[in-house]
Amino acid sequence: MNFFEAQDNARNATRWLVFVYMLATALIVAGVTAVVAVIFYSNNVQPDRTVLLITAAAALSLIVLSTLFKVARLSAGGGSSVAQAMGGVQVPPDVQDPLRRRLRNVVEEMSIASSVPVPEIYVLEREAGINAFAAGFAPGDAAIAVTRGTLELLDRDELQGVIAHEFSHVLNGDMRLSMRIMGVLFGIMVLGLIGRVIVRGGRFSRLASSRRGKGAGGIILLGVGLLVLGWIGVFFARIVKAAISRQREYLADASAVQFTRQTQGLANALKKIGGYEAHSFLKETDPEEVSHMLFARGSRLSSLFATHPPLIKRIQTLEPNFREEDLPQIDYAAGQTVTDENAAAVASGFAGASDHAPLSSIQDSVGNPAPEHVVFAAGLRSDLPATLYDAAHAPGDALLLTVALFVQQQPDAAERSFDVLTQQLGPARSSQVREYWTLIAERGAVVRLPLLEIAFPALRHTPTPQLEFLVQLCQRLVELDGVVELHEFCLLRILERSLGEALAPSSVRRGRHGSKQEVRDAALMLLRIVADRGNHTDEDRQRAYEQGVSVFGDWAGDSGLEHKDGRRTDAEALAKSLDILERLGSKGTRTLVDAIAAAVSADGRLATAEAEMLRAVCASLNCPLPPLAALRT
């Protein structure tokens, strides 16, 4: 299953969840109204229609508002709020502990390989079981958490398999679905919680006086009714949650193996869960709300409610000949004490970026990193100069490093940029930006997007006014010479979107839906810019443009081959086009990516600079494309 199919399946699951939610809400509201009617009849009173309507409206409002409240709270805090609520302790960028350093390295490598921002990283320090989860509404506000048992009992390959599994949830659209499930469950469960309170309060009222006890009988009946209805709704919601989650877990396992080509690593992690006394269970925190997010079962629920396939079946999917009696016996005292020294072995295949990547299917690579991407990412991370790597992990320096990514490489344009930076930042900071810019130029375009991804967690902890200043300054650098450099513009768009998702997930607005003509014009404009930026002669630009338009077929129309100069397109026009194009459905986005790739590679090869431009464009359209330089000819 590719990225686009996974996204479609996640959306279908969301629609199914919405349907179940509406059905459960309607049944619960009808049940609450019926309970109130029974109370009237039990007291020989004819139910008043107005009272029943008010009851139904109140029950409906309570369920919907509770769901919206829960989703809003989750949106405000993002994935980090879920990890913190579970007792997670954040792993800082400059962590020195070997096991936590290894965890951060593995997460950063997977981020580079999959072309998404590095998420916040947490450890559930009080949990000895082997488990993990990813939470968030979007990659920009994602958090990945692992238990202490995961760190101490798994080796690097096994840990990488678990992290790859969690990243597949990020890429396949499962995180947003999981957060919505949390909101739905809370909304449906709230009446049951109220019913419990009423029942307890009604008991005390009945004990207080016999006169009040008569009224308490009706109160208790109402409470019992709410309690029963609430938990019936939760019962069916759990069944749906479990069914959706089990299918997504199979997909995540398959994706993890595809990412790393480490069937053994993921399989061994699952085996250790089976052979370990604490298994994957969470004992210090209630796993109910996040059970569908976990790497493995968080509690001993029956198979009807199990959010994960049976452990042995998951292992046998990876190793068909495995038998349950082959599970190893894991001793916690003999847990992993290794450092991340074997990261060098992981990166041993890295020898720098090839200047010409093969023209394999770009579409199949979107959101679908292969083992060579993971190896390349490990090598790129370990090969980064210490000055750049350390700067990416320090909030103040990360800001200056980000500025350096938007300074153009042409000497004249660069000097104009540094004149602006001296005015805005002062001589000392401008000099520091120049140092970073020089090191980035030496490494080439291939390090720019990965550096932004690595720096992202440090930027999240920068005060909001400084981030606003950063975005404005980078925008000024991009537009300094009046020419839209597509790569820089898309990097800026990625920066703005990722920071917006992290700081206020619920306030991030996606682009608007356009008419057929607007979509067509936006797609052709983007193709013109891509063709113009990647070629040096009018003839080459025309050929690249025609190559891209040919992917659209008849949809482009007769005027589609009329090439117009896209070199002077302004930032505002390009932003409007991208806003429209990012709202295309999976089929349209898939075709657009193929058209852009065709235009970029019209000359039969894909140079590193062109590949990185293509990656930036895809990322700005929410289609994460792994490093194409990892694919060698």
Side-chain angles (χ1 to χ4, degrees):
M1 181 180 297
N2 64 26
F3 171 81
F4 302 101
E5 291 173 347
Q7 294 287 322
D8 282 341
N9 284 348
R11 280 190 283 269
N12 289 336
T14 299
R15 285 191 283 268
W16 173 241
L17 179 66
V18 170
F19 170 75
V20 172
Y21 172 72
M22 294 174 63
L23 179 61
T25 299
L27 292 176
I28 291 172
V29 169
V32 171
T33 307
V35 169
V36 172
V38 169
I39 293 175
F40 274 97
Y41 282 120
S42 65
N43 289 278
N44 298 318
V45 177
Q46 181 70 24
D48 183 86
R49 179 176 297 181
T50 302
V51 173
L52 295 181
L53 289 175
I54 292 175
T55 299
L60 177 62
S61 299
L62 184 61
I63 294 173
V64 173
L65 290 177
S66 298
T67 299
L68 294 177
F69 170 76
K70 184 67 173 181
V71 172
R73 284 194 61 183
L74 293 171
S75 297
S80 294
S81 65
V82 178
Q84 291 168 5
M86 297 296 293
V89 177
Q90 190 170 2
V91 178
D94 57 351
V95 62
Q96 298 302 313
D97 174 73
L99 292 178
R100 286 153 187 77
R101 179 74 257 172
R102 182 182 66 179
L103 171 64
R104 176 163 283 280
N105 289 347
V106 170
V107 172
E108 287 181 354
E109 291 162 11
M110 199 59 63
S111 289
I112 295 172
S114 55
S115 193
V116 297
V118 175
E120 297 279 22
I121 306 171
Y122 288 84
V123 176
L124 307 185
E125 298 287 1
R126 296 181 296 171
E127 300 292 351
I130 302 173
N131 222 319
F133 65 83
F137 279 90
D141 79 318
I144 285 182
V146 303
T147 59
R148 178 169 52 87
T150 300
L151 284 186
E152 297 179 349
L153 291 172
L154 302 188
D155 63 27
R156 195 183 204 277
D157 285 345
E158 294 160 354
L159 178 64
Q160 188 182 61
V162 171
I163 297 302
H165 174 102
E166 298 307 324
F167 262 84
S168 75
H169 286 310
V170 177
L171 294 168
N172 292 334
D174 296 340
M175 289 195 312
R176 181 180 292 270
L177 174 62
S178 295
M179 300 287 268
R180 286 172 173 164
I181 288 175
M182 290 179 68
V184 166
L185 285 175
F186 181 79
I188 293 176
M189 197 185 331
V190 71
L191 282 178
L193 297 176
I194 293 175
R196 180 187 299 177
V197 173
I198 291 176
V199 169
R200 290 176 178 174
R203 289 175 181 172
F204 290 117
S205 297
R206 186 169 57 184
L207 292 173
S209 69
S210 59
R211 183 177 180 181
R212 292 172 61 192
K214 295 179 180 179
I219 294 175
I220 292 178
L221 180 60
L222 176 62
V224 170
L226 292 177
L227 188 62
V228 171
L229 289 170
W231 287 109
I232 288 176
V234 171
F235 174 83
F236 288 106
R238 281 177 175 171
I239 293 177
V240 174
K241 176 183 76 169
I244 293 175
S245 179
R246 283 195 293 266
Q247 293 303 314
R248 306 304 289 180
E249 290 303 312
Y250 275 129
L251 172 61
D253 280 351
S255 298
V257 172
Q258 186 169 312
F259 293 175
T260 63
R261 203 169 290 163
Q262 286 281 350
T263 304
Q264 201 67 32
L266 182 61
N268 285 345
L270 294 170
K271 291 175 188 176
K272 284 187 175 180
I273 290 174
Y276 178 41
E277 183 179 0
H279 297 288
S280 57
F281 304 144
L282 302 184
K283 297 183 178 180
E284 299 298 325
T285 53
D286 183 6
E288 171 59 31
E289 279 195 313
V290 299
S291 60
H292 56 292
M293 296 182 179
L294 297 173
F295 172 71
R297 288 171 56 191
S299 63
R300 301 177 184 272
L301 287 175
S302 67
S303 59
L304 181 64
F305 298 118
T307 53
H308 293 69
L311 186 67
I312 300 302
K313 189 172 182 179
R314 289 176 71 183
I315 298 173
Q316 289 175 340
T317 301
L318 302 171
E319 295 183 8
N321 296 325
F322 181 81
R323 299 173 301 172
E324 186 171 0
E325 53 266 31
D326 295 332
L327 286 172
Q329 295 300 310
I330 305 301
D331 181 7
Y332 187 83
Q336 292 292 319
T337 57
V338 297
T339 65
D340 199 36
E341 292 177 355
N342 55 346
V346 175
S348 60
F350 177 71
S354 169
D355 190 51
H356 300 99
L359 303 180
S360 57
S361 175
I362 300 298
Q363 177 197 114
D364 292 340
S365 295
V366 173
N368 195 23
E372 50 267 35
H373 297 123
V374 178
V375 172
F376 175 84
L380 188 148
R381 184 194 62 77
S382 62
D383 197 51
L384 283 172
T387 300
L388 296 180
Y389 190 73
D390 292 343
H393 291 86
D397 294 336
L399 189 146
L400 298 180
L401 174 64
T402 303
V403 172
L405 295 173
F406 291 90
V407 176
Q408 298 183 19
Q409 296 302 311
Q410 295 82 0
D412 292 342
E415 289 308 316
R416 289 196 297 271
S417 297
F418 284 116
D419 288 341
V420 172
L421 293 178
T422 300
Q423 296 172 6
Q424 297 293 318
L425 301 175
R429 290 187 175 183
S430 177
S431 178
Q432 191 172 352
V433 172
R434 185 184 290 272
E435 179 184 0
Y436 297 150
W437 172 77
T438 302
L439 291 172
I440 293 170
E442 291 174 355
R443 296 289 166 170
V446 73
V447 304
R448 300 179 73 182
L449 187 54
L451 279 173
L452 185 60
E453 292 159 355
I454 295 174
F456 181 65
L459 292 176
R460 290 179 67 172
H461 296 286
T462 302
T464 301
Q466 293 185 28
L467 292 179
E468 292 173 349
F469 171 77
L470 169 65
V471 171
Q472 293 172 0
L473 181 57
C474 292
Q475 183 175 4
R476 184 175 177 183
L477 294 177
V478 169
E479 301 175 0
L480 190 61
D481 58 358
V483 177
V484 178
E485 292 297 338
L486 186 58
H487 185 245
E488 281 80 4
F489 184 86
C490 290
L491 278 181
L492 178 62
R493 187 178 176 88
I494 296 166
L495 175 66
E496 292 177 315
R497 176 61 51 79
S498 298
L499 290 177
E501 290 173 346
L503 299 177
S506 59
S507 66
V508 176
R509 295 183 179 180
R510 302 297 176 184
R512 65 182 180 86
H513 289 288
S515 65
K516 182 177 180 180
Q517 183 63 43
E518 287 177 321
V519 171
R520 176 183 174 278
D521 292 344
L524 295 180
M525 172 185 282
L526 184 57
L527 281 181
R528 291 186 190 106
I529 298 173
V530 168
D532 289 339
R533 294 298 181 271
N535 296 280
H536 302 291
T537 68
D538 290 340
E539 182 180 354
D540 290 339
R541 295 185 184 105
Q542 178 67 29
R543 181 175 62 251
Y545 178 68
E546 292 177 358
Q547 192 76 20
V549 171
S550 66
V551 175
F552 293 137
D554 296 338
W555 176 82
D558 294 336
S559 62
L561 296 181
E562 295 176 5
H563 178 259
K564 300 177 182 178
D565 191 351
R567 285 168 287 177
R568 306 302 300 184
T569 303
D570 61 31
E572 183 178 359
L574 180 56
K576 289 181 179 178
S577 294
L578 292 175
D579 284 344
I580 292 173
L581 294 175
E582 75 169 352
R583 293 302 298 266
L584 289 174
S586 294
K587 183 178 180 181
T589 303
R590 190 181 308 144
T591 302
L592 178 63
V593 170
D594 278 349
I596 296 170
V600 170
S601 57
D603 56 0
R605 61 191 183 91
L606 193 61
T608 299
E610 293 175 312
E612 289 307 304
M613 179 180 69
L614 176 58
R615 290 183 69 217
V617 172
C618 288
S620 70
L621 294 172
N622 302 311
C623 297
L625 186 63
L628 298 177
L631 306 175
R632 295 181 173 80
T633 53

